[in-house]
Amino acid sequence: MHIETTLVRSGVAKDPRTGSVSTPIYQSATFEHPGGVSTGYDYSRTANPTRTAIEEAIAALEKGATGLAFSSGMSAITTVLFLFKPGDHLIVSEDLYGGTYRLLEEVFNHYSIEVSFVDTSDIYEVESAVRPSTKAIFVETPTNPLMKISDLKGVIQIAQDKSLLTIVDNTFMTPYFQQPLLLGADIVIHSATKYLGGHNDVIAGLLVAREQSLGEKLRFLQNSAGTILGPQDSWLLLRGIKTLALRMERHQENAEKLAKWLKEQPEVEEVYFPGLPEHPNYEIGRGQSSGFGGMLSFTVKDKELVSHILGNLKLITFAESLGGVESLITFPAKQTHADIPEEIRNQLGITDRLLRLSVGIEHVEDLIQDFKEAFHGCYCK
Ligand SMILES: *Cc1c(COP(=O)(O)O)cnc(C)c1O
């Protein structure tokens, strides 16, 4: 079946009693055992039918054995990190989601989980970071906010040779454009708050394990920690995910046009978009993904222009987050990546002249017009 169809059929007809087309919201903490026999549902921390519907949907979309739904992307990542013990070492993409960096550097460090942050787009750096205590490689590709692409097949090969787990944060690409489990990754994680939900109205996380044994381990950790998604939010995700294919196509089309337009502006120094042929990892991206997504970043030449743009955009909203139908712009150095020390940020290229754009599904001419006015409107130096 094609992914467009799998997406639309997510959660359809899950209630044989009524034939309800949309999965009902089973707003119940506990379930009766008729005649002393469990229906398969006992207590909603362990399993809830609305949550099961989105868990089965994401497992089918990512082509894995087990899907799990969490209260946020961070609670999915936290639960995955519970797989590790003191002294275990992880190799992690250096330019990754700021919240994941904070979780590793300020929380899991208390439990002596050791981390090397490396440029995972450089396969030699990944290989040389492996130690006897290394247990997993955690990759975000493309990275946030600099859109570097890691060679997933190369990373997975290293992991398999050394018996390490490969964990991929697939938030930016979604299963519509990239399916890391099919390349041999072990776990895929999503902040479903972003493209999967797609409407900036729900905080949620999802993960899929390729093999059932690992999936059951993670299910045990989720039930133990209680990091679950509630039935209302599970339903919102089911509702959002149905249009993912249409949304991703439009996000990408708009992002490509905007990236090309930004490149031509004299105020712009650099545009980071994996869909531009001059992107350093363009060929690797094409080989492992069926698209480039709808995220782009750019730097302006003059630092003062940043506040000017942020203050003058009228349509594009200055707000954190990404992946919704509405275009959002963020200033990573002061928002999503503020927890990364300035010196490290500058080394990574997350400077105070960098802006990140989550390109929405509005008409692209309106987005370009908004930028034109913000760039040129009344910029008086
Ligand atoms: C937003 C985000 C997260 C965290 O997800 P929440 O749903 O906000 O907890 C993790 N990884 C990436 C790439 C993200 O963009």
Side-chain angles (χ1 to χ4, degrees):
M1 208 184 331
H2 294 87
I3 191 164
E4 289 85 347
T5 311
T6 312
L7 284 162
V8 170
R9 306 304 296 187
S10 296
V12 171
K14 291 287 182 190
D15 186 32
R17 193 174 71 86
T18 62
S20 164
V21 170
S22 161
T23 302
I25 301 170
Y26 289 89
Q27 193 69 54
S28 185
T30 187
F31 299 86
E32 188 185 7
H33 308 312
V37 184
S38 168
T39 60
Y41 292 97
D42 307 322
Y43 184 62
S44 280
R45 170 156 41 73
T46 311
N48 173 282
T50 317
R51 195 169 89 233
T52 303
I54 186 65
E55 292 180 338
E56 288 175 357
I58 192 64
L61 291 166
E62 288 285 9
K63 309 275 191 323
T66 309
L68 296 171
F70 297 85
S71 53
S72 65
M74 291 322 301
S75 83
I77 295 170
T78 299
T79 305
V80 167
L81 294 176
F82 287 151
L83 287 169
F84 305 106
K85 294 194 215 36
D88 285 354
H89 171 250
L90 311 177
I91 297 170
V92 178
S93 299
E94 65 181 2
D95 140 45
L96 94 162
Y97 180 68
T100 310
Y101 179 88
R102 178 176 60 202
L103 182 67
L104 288 162
E105 285 293 280
E106 295 182 33
V107 182
F108 274 88
N109 62 327
H110 298 160
Y111 305 95
S112 303
I113 308 288
E114 287 168 20
V115 183
S116 298
F117 292 98
V118 309
D119 179 358
T120 51
S121 70
D122 180 345
I123 215 74
Y124 300 101
E125 271 204 37
V126 177
E127 193 155 25
S128 50
V130 177
R131 305 177 190 168
S133 59
T134 306
K135 291 292 186 300
I137 308 178
F138 185 114
V139 191
E140 210 176 286
T141 179
T143 57
N144 177 8
L146 291 175
M147 311 296 152
K148 285 188 187 170
I149 292 177
S150 298
D151 171 5
L152 281 173
K153 283 182 203 153
V155 169
I156 290 164
Q157 189 62 52
I158 295 171
Q160 289 179 344
D161 289 348
K162 316 260 182 190
S163 305
L164 314 176
L165 289 178
T166 312
I167 303 162
V168 180
D169 184 331
N170 206 27
T171 300
F172 274 33
M173 287 283 99
T174 82
Y176 184 70
F177 284 138
Q178 180 167 283
Q179 296 174 316
L181 300 185
L182 291 182
L183 304 176
D186 298 286
I187 300 171
V188 160
I189 298 175
H190 287 280
S191 168
T193 312
K194 315 294 167 58
Y195 289 108
L196 299 181
H199 295 76
N200 286 321
D201 56 9
V202 59
I203 299 282
L206 292 170
L207 76 72
V208 183
R210 182 163 49 85
E211 290 186 349
Q212 195 169 357
S213 54
L214 181 58
E216 288 314 310
K217 243 189 230 178
L218 289 160
R219 193 188 294 284
F220 169 84
L221 292 171
Q222 183 193 42
N223 185 43
S224 303
T227 46
I228 53 153
L229 189 65
Q232 294 271 353
D233 288 347
S234 298
W235 186 87
L236 275 171
L237 267 194
L238 281 168
R239 151 95 162 225
I241 210 170
K242 288 169 189 285
T243 54
L244 183 73
L246 295 173
R247 287 187 282 111
M248 292 312 287
E249 290 292 347
R250 176 62 85 88
H251 284 299
Q252 168 159 286
E253 192 187 313
N254 282 356
E256 193 173 356
K257 287 180 182 157
L258 254 179
K260 288 184 175 154
W261 181 82
L262 283 166
K263 272 212 88 131
E264 288 168 6
Q265 305 315 302
E267 297 86 352
V268 172
E269 184 179 69
E270 184 79 65
V271 177
Y272 303 90
F273 178 61
L276 293 174
E278 56 271 34
H279 185 286
N281 314 118
Y282 178 75
E283 287 302 328
I284 289 175
R286 264 170 56 118
Q288 67 191 18
S289 318
S290 59
F292 301 104
M295 294 298 300
L296 65 85
S297 296
F298 64 98
T299 48
V300 289
K301 290 176 184 153
D302 181 351
K303 183 177 152 183
E304 283 169 39
L305 192 53
V306 168
S307 51
H308 186 82
I309 292 173
L310 294 176
N312 282 286
L313 285 168
K314 293 190 184 71
L315 182 65
I316 299 167
T317 310
F318 176 30
E320 282 182 49
S321 200
L322 63 105
V325 291
E326 303 90 356
S327 293
L328 302 181
I329 192 162
T330 56
F331 185 23
K334 292 278 144 57
Q335 293 178 298
T336 48
H337 292 66
D339 282 312
I340 300 178
E342 186 177 352
E343 192 188 317
I344 297 180
R345 258 197 292 107
N346 285 335
Q347 271 170 26
L348 296 174
I350 308 170
T351 66
D352 54 8
R353 289 181 296 113
L354 180 79
L355 290 166
R356 188 193 74 181
L357 191 62
S358 172
V359 184
I361 65 169
E362 301 93 342
H363 199 295
V364 70
E365 283 171 18
D366 294 328
L367 300 176
I368 290 176
Q369 187 60 30
D370 201 25
F371 267 118
K372 269 187 191 160
E373 285 169 18
F375 271 45
H376 307 297
C378 57
Y379 178 48
C380 335
K381 235 180 133 177

